[in-house]
Structures are given as structure tokens and as C-alpha cells.
Amino acid sequence: MASAPTPDRFVARTVTATAKIVVAGAFGVGKTTFVGSVSEVPPVHMEETITRASALVDDLARTPEKITTTVGVDFGRKHLSDDLVLYLFGTPGQARFSFLWQELIIGALGALVLVDPRDLDASHEILGLLEENGVPYAVAVNEFDGAPRHPLEEVHEALALEGHTPLTVCDARDRASCMQALIQLTEYLARLAHRLEPRP
């Protein structure tokens, strides 16, 4: 884990480690909702109203009720334990903001990639970017109301994930299931860090 005392006066004095976690995924997959569900502070959202022009570019077929979209970053914070704080950075989903993805993954310990079960192929671009930049990640299928429920083995194969990549399901509106996805990611990152530690 990335260890550093934090100067944030609202963080518990017992905290000895912080980690930057990117919450990534395709357009409309639920990243803003996820960050809002788990953040212990009012999340920061950089959103704009979806205009007629952007509606011609962004596919709203699966999210017709969506009226805003992230154009910068979502930010939240969560104490995962007495000594560990996660800083969550939600990325915009549209490919035209890919230059922001590149900036946001700098310094990230890992990423949680949200996947829409109605359009698994939309996740390939961000998965490829994380792999190219060596950012470890876990995947969580966001279970939208009325969306198909694919067996996780089929999702794993469809996304061409490595055998060790964690894969789970969550509901971005539900804090408990979002927390389980974050815990799974951090446990995975801890195992990776342990493997990389130099032997005496």
C-alpha cells in the first residue's frame, strides 16, 4: 500500500496509509453513483447537463433518464479501516475525455472498473488503458434494474480478464455492495504488494 501520513484534519489520527483509487468504466455505468454511495464526505462532482449536441455523441439508449454527465472527475473519501483511507477518483466515461483518464491514473494504487452487463464490450477501452499503464484493477458488474444477470464465468471470458483479476457484482446505489467491491480490490492490491516485496 502507498504509505503516507495525511495532513487532512478530518482524517482519523490513527491513519498511517492512504491510497488513490480510480473508479473507471464506460459512459453511464454508474461511477458517479458509486462514489456518492461510499464517500463519507459530500462527494465532489464535476458534471454538466447533457445537451442536444452531446446527446448526438453519447449513447443514451440504456440511460434515457440521465440528464447530467461527468466532464471532469468525481471525488470522494472513505476510511477503509482505522489506519487506511481511500481517495476515490471517478473518471468521465466518454472516450473523448480519454486525456483525463491518462491524468487520473497517475499515482493510482489501483482501479475499480464498473461494467454494464447490457454492454460488456464498452469496457474494453478502459481495461486496455489500465493494462497498458500497468495499473492493477478489479472489476465489478453493476446490476442495473432489469439488466441481464450473466454468470461471472461468462463475464470473465467476455472481458478477457486474467485469471487472477477479481470479479464481483454490485449495485452502485447500495453502499454495502459497493464497499464489498472496494474491499475485494484492496485485498487484491495487498496480495500484489506482498508478492512484490523484496525477500530478505
Side-chain angles (χ1 to χ4, degrees):
M1 293 286 174
S3 296
T6 173
D8 190 334
R9 64 189 179 93
F10 298 108
V11 170
R13 293 184 178 181
T14 55
V15 169
T16 58
T18 64
K20 177 182 179 180
I21 300 295
V22 172
V23 180
F27 175 74
V29 77
K31 301 177 295 295
T32 298
T33 303
F34 183 99
V35 172
S37 291
V38 299
S39 180
E40 64 197 11
V41 295
V44 176
H45 300 303
M46 297 175 66
E47 295 189 305
E48 291 291 341
T49 301
I50 293 177
T51 63
R52 185 175 301 172
S54 64
L56 295 174
V57 178
D58 301 323
D59 184 1
L60 299 175
R62 292 185 178 86
T63 54
E65 71 288 349
K66 189 174 177 63
I67 59 172
T68 62
T69 184
T70 300
V71 296
V73 63
D74 297 313
F75 175 79
R77 187 191 73 203
K78 178 63 184 173
H79 281 76
L80 201 61
S81 64
D82 289 341
D83 60 355
L84 174 63
V85 166
L86 302 183
Y87 291 98
L88 307 172
F89 292 80
T91 68
Q94 301 94 319
R96 66 180 181 275
F97 292 119
S98 59
F99 65 95
L100 284 176
W101 302 349
Q102 294 281 1
E103 294 294 324
L104 286 172
I105 63 176
I106 295 173
L109 189 65
L112 181 67
V113 180
L114 294 184
V115 170
D116 187 338
R118 301 165 298 182
D119 188 7
L120 296 176
D121 288 342
S123 304
H124 287 298
E125 186 169 9
I126 188 64
L127 291 175
L129 176 72
L130 294 171
E131 290 166 3
E132 289 169 13
N133 287 273
V135 179
Y137 61 84
V139 176
V141 179
N142 188 13
E143 295 190 318
F144 290 89
D145 292 338
R149 299 292 193 261
H150 304 294
L152 288 183
E153 296 81 5
E154 293 182 8
V155 175
H156 203 282
E157 183 176 353
L159 296 177
L161 300 178
E162 297 287 342
H164 56 78
T165 302
L167 174 63
T168 190
V169 296
C170 74
D171 182 334
R173 301 163 297 184
D174 178 65
R175 179 183 176 277
S177 70
C178 293
M179 285 303 302
Q180 282 303 119
L182 278 178
I183 289 169
Q184 186 177 66
L185 169 63
T186 55
E187 288 176 344
Y188 172 60
L189 295 174
R191 291 195 300 272
L192 287 180
H194 180 71
R195 269 203 299 253
L196 294 174
E197 287 177 358
R199 295 179 181 273

